[in-house]
Amino acid sequence: MGKLIVTENITLDGVIQDPTGEEGLGRGAWSQMGPLDQAAWAEFFTDEALDVEAMLLGRRTYEYFAGRFPSRTGVWAERLNSMPKYVVSATLEAAEWNNSTVLTGDIVDDVSKLKETLTGDLVVYASGRLVPTLLEHDLVDELRLMTFPCVLGAGQHLFGETGEQKPQRLVGNRTIGDGLVLLTYQRAN
């Protein structure tokens, strides 16, 4: 059984919404990086994709990725295009992106079964509506927070209310490029 890993681009104040400025939050593209940061960021995400068995995505994130990656080239794009992808959605009827499966049942049951059947790790990118549910039900084994040096002051936060505390243990921190910090946490129970 592999781990369920959530990897998020996040601001210092915990915002995950609208990193490219395309969603209309009105705070600009907070994920803009210099060349050194961009290269190190891309290397991290490429290495991560090569290390995991599959992706789990919410519908909106799936549609974002599916609208961009099939036409891209390079190691990262080729890996994302070829790996198994699972999409949690109550509205998506068919997933067109290569190797994609729509999960329409109970999220907790479906993801629990998926974790049991996979031998490698399962990564969740973005998916701001899905991640809180996974956290609430203790399905997340590891959080990887790619922290951008920006206080946005508005927008959707990764962590909302939970039914109880969700203790985490810091297991890694490193600088990515010259301005990003990757914080890695595992569930502390």
Side-chain angles (χ1 to χ4, degrees), residues 143 167-174 182-188:
L143 286 167
Q168 303 293 312
R169 179 173 47 91
L170 182 67
V171 296
N173 62 341
R174 69 176 180 160
L182 177 66
L183 301 170
T184 304
Y185 294 90
Q186 290 180 348
R187 204 168 26 157

Side-chain angles (χ1 to χ4, degrees), residues 4-8 16 54-67 85-95 97 100-104 107 111 114 122-134 156:
L4 190 146
I5 300 165
V6 170
T7 300
E8 292 283 346
I16 59 170
M55 281 194 304
L56 176 67
L57 303 167
R59 179 195 49 84
R60 292 184 317 157
T61 302
Y62 168 81
E63 289 174 344
Y64 179 88
F65 275 80
K85 293 165 278 294
Y86 299 92
V87 187
V88 174
S89 178
T91 59
L92 190 65
E93 293 181 14
W97 192 14
S100 296
T101 302
V102 179
L103 304 176
T104 59
I107 294 172
V111 173
L114 190 57
L122 179 64
V123 68
V124 180
Y125 292 130
S127 302
R129 292 182 180 178
L130 173 60
V131 170
T133 301
L134 299 173
Q156 179 186 353

Side-chain angles (χ1 to χ4, degrees), residues 61-169:
T61 302
Y62 168 81
E63 289 174 344
Y64 179 88
F65 275 80
R68 287 161 177 77
F69 276 87
S71 63
R72 291 186 181 176
T73 60
V75 176
W76 186 35
E78 289 168 11
R79 177 64 182 138
L80 293 187
N81 286 326
S82 66
M83 76 168 37
K85 293 165 278 294
Y86 299 92
V87 187
V88 174
S89 178
T91 59
L92 190 65
E93 293 181 14
E96 302 298 324
W97 192 14
N98 189 41
N99 295 327
S100 296
T101 302
V102 179
L103 304 176
T104 59
D106 179 85
I107 294 172
V108 175
D109 289 341
D110 285 351
V111 173
S112 295
K113 289 175 188 170
L114 190 57
K115 283 180 66 174
E116 289 174 13
T117 60
L118 295 176
T119 56
D121 294 338
L122 179 64
V123 68
V124 180
Y125 292 130
S127 302
R129 292 182 180 178
L130 173 60
V131 170
T133 301
L134 299 173
L135 284 166
E136 178 68 24
H137 294 281
D138 297 322
L139 292 169
V140 177
D141 299 298
E142 187 168 291
L143 286 167
R144 296 178 182 168
L145 305 177
M146 184 67 71
T147 309
F148 285 71
C150 174
V151 175
L152 208 56
Q156 179 186 353
H157 289 77
L158 176 60
F159 305 108
E161 290 188 29
T162 58
E164 59 187 27
Q165 277 190 12
K166 301 296 178 185
Q168 303 293 312
R169 179 173 47 91

Side-chain angles (χ1 to χ4, degrees), residues 17-30 60 152 154-156:
Q17 183 181 359
D18 204 10
T20 60
E22 298 173 87
E23 296 174 41
L25 181 61
R27 299 293 171 125
W30 58 261
R60 292 184 317 157
L152 208 56
Q156 179 186 353

